[in-house]
Amino acid sequence: MVQVVVTGAGRGIGLEFVNQLSQDSENVVFAVVRNKSKIEYLKPIADERSNVHVVEADVTSPQALEQAAKEIAEITGGSLDWLISNAGGVTDPSITIADPNVSVEKVGQDFLDNYRWNTVSHIYANNIFLPLLRKGKEKKIINISSGIGDEAFTRKSKITINAGYASSKAALNYNVLKYAIELEPEGFTVVALSPGFVDTSKTRDGPVPEGMAKIFGQLLDGFKLAEPEWDGNPITVEDSVTKQIKVIKKLGPKDSGISTSQNDSSEIWL
Ligand SMILES: NC(=O)c1ccc[n+]([C@@H]2O[C@H](COP(=O)([O-])OP(=O)(O)OC[C@H]3O[C@@H](n4cnc5c(N)ncnc54)[C@H](OP(=O)(O)O)[C@@H]3O)[C@@H](O)[C@H]2O)c1
């Protein structure tokens, strides 16, 4: 039985974490969503299962996360076993770091937006839930990252687009290591976990933006360069989350600080 917080729980990978973890009625699952009035995919699960609690917080707001932690602590008695800090995403995927056709202000702003969304928001969540995790049994902090932020993968894939996002995830991986070192004396396990290349289209809001086909094409070419054995297809969100939960269960303090994938590997990201 674990008490677990999942951020970004209204759609995609976060939603599937809530779905699979709450299938065990012993678990208590806190689904943190940006907007409680927009949870069409989560609502059926939350309505059906009494072990799912929906809590509102924008992860870029420390105040909102503090309020969420307060609400959660009231239900758990002040403890928490796992934090799955999952919320995040790509801002403008077309941006490369040195495109002469894009102003330096625009590139800089995209990096700042990505860092705020994919790096700093995890620091907020990790630190704000730390007091609860200290009182928990398992002390696991999982920050959902991406293979795109891995240095070796980047050297092989030669992907230039998604520059701000990749950089923000690389910084996230580094921060995980810093947490691991600082929290080692307390027995924490802090890990950056990549979900793979996941098809989340079932819960996507609206159509794919124009120009995305070209961007996807570049990504796929890079993926094949990096991992020639890859079959060329994204994995399902169900498969990704099943594998990730298996990895999270297996992880312990000796693994703290690593960046790994749904494949339980720091080399196979797809
Ligand atoms: N899908 C992939 O192939 C893939 C690959 C590598 C890494 N990842 C990582 O996996 C994580 C989940 O991605 P996904 O594919 O499931 O994305 P998604 O389908 O776009 O879902 C993202 C979720 O995060 C929530 N969210 C975004 N910003 C938020 C904020 N400021 N405050 C609170 N919630 C927020 C969204 O809430 P709303 O519903 O309110 O928008 C949504 O529920 C991300 O960290 C992403 O970088 C995904």
Side-chain angles (χ1 to χ4, degrees):
M1 175 269 192
V2 285
Q3 298 166 330
V4 52
V5 163
V6 181
T7 67
R11 290 187 284 126
I13 293 164
L15 173 71
E16 186 58 21
F17 266 120
V18 172
N19 177 36
Q20 292 193 20
L21 288 168
S22 64
Q23 279 166 19
D24 179 345
S25 61
E26 297 276 295
N27 292 339
V28 185
V29 183
F30 297 94
V32 177
V33 298
R34 181 159 35 186
N35 184 344
K36 257 186 170 179
S37 65
K38 282 180 69 183
I39 54 162
E40 59 187 293
Y41 305 110
L42 173 63
K43 202 175 178 311
I45 300 171
D47 284 350
E48 185 190 285
R49 302 182 194 163
S50 60
N51 60 338
V52 175
H53 303 268
V54 182
V55 181
E56 193 171 79
D58 184 316
V59 295
T60 60
S61 162
Q63 294 78 12
L65 282 166
E66 292 278 9
Q67 180 56 36
K70 211 170 136 199
E71 285 174 36
I72 291 167
E74 274 166 20
I75 297 172
T76 64
S79 62
L80 181 68
D81 298 314
W82 298 2
L83 167 63
I84 302 179
S85 184
N86 159 78
V90 181
T91 53
D92 181 345
S94 69
I95 291 186
T96 68
I97 202 164
D99 186 341
N101 300 315
V102 179
S103 73
V104 72
E105 287 82 5
K106 193 170 173 192
V107 175
Q109 191 56 53
D110 187 63
F111 270 67
L112 289 172
D113 291 344
N114 270 294
Y115 271 68
R116 187 164 162 268
W117 202 16
N118 293 304
T119 313
V120 177
S121 69
H122 293 276
I123 297 176
Y124 292 156
N126 294 348
N127 290 6
I128 286 166
F129 285 105
L130 256 184
L132 281 74
L133 288 155
R134 285 197 166 99
K135 293 187 186 150
K137 298 184 303 287
E138 301 214 358
K139 299 182 174 55
K140 288 188 181 177
I141 298 178
I142 309 300
N143 285 181
I144 299 300
S145 189
S146 171
I148 279 189
D150 180 68
E151 194 183 316
F153 185 85
T154 304
R155 284 185 192 282
K156 285 187 273 182
S157 69
K158 300 189 189 299
I159 292 169
T160 56
I161 53 171
N162 263 328
Y165 175 72
S167 179
S168 71
K169 291 290 193 184
L172 175 63
N173 296 350
Y174 184 82
N175 294 349
V176 157
L177 177 58
K178 286 290 194 190
Y179 275 109
I181 293 166
E182 191 163 343
L183 298 174
E184 185 184 6
E186 298 181 67
F188 270 83
T189 304
V190 191
V191 165
L193 179 57
S194 169
F197 177 41
V198 189
D199 180 4
T200 53
S201 57
K202 271 193 299 194
T203 55
R204 185 182 296 134
D205 279 349
V208 177
E210 219 176 297
M212 274 309 277
K214 199 171 152 213
I215 288 164
F216 263 127
Q218 286 185 42
L219 276 182
L220 296 186
D221 289 348
F223 290 174
K224 281 181 201 149
L225 265 181
E227 293 184 17
E229 306 296 306
W230 178 54
D231 70 1
N233 296 308
I235 53 172
T236 64
V237 71
E238 293 83 2
D239 193 18
S240 167
V241 169
T242 300
K243 288 178 169 161
Q244 288 184 80
I245 291 173
K246 208 169 152 200
V247 174
I248 296 170
K249 283 184 176 164
K250 198 191 130 199
L251 291 167
K254 65 172 186 352
D255 308 301
S256 200
I258 63 165
S259 299
T260 188
S261 72
Q262 83 286 0
N263 298 314
D264 194 18
S265 166
S266 300
E267 284 166 18
I268 308 166
W269 301 98
L270 296 169

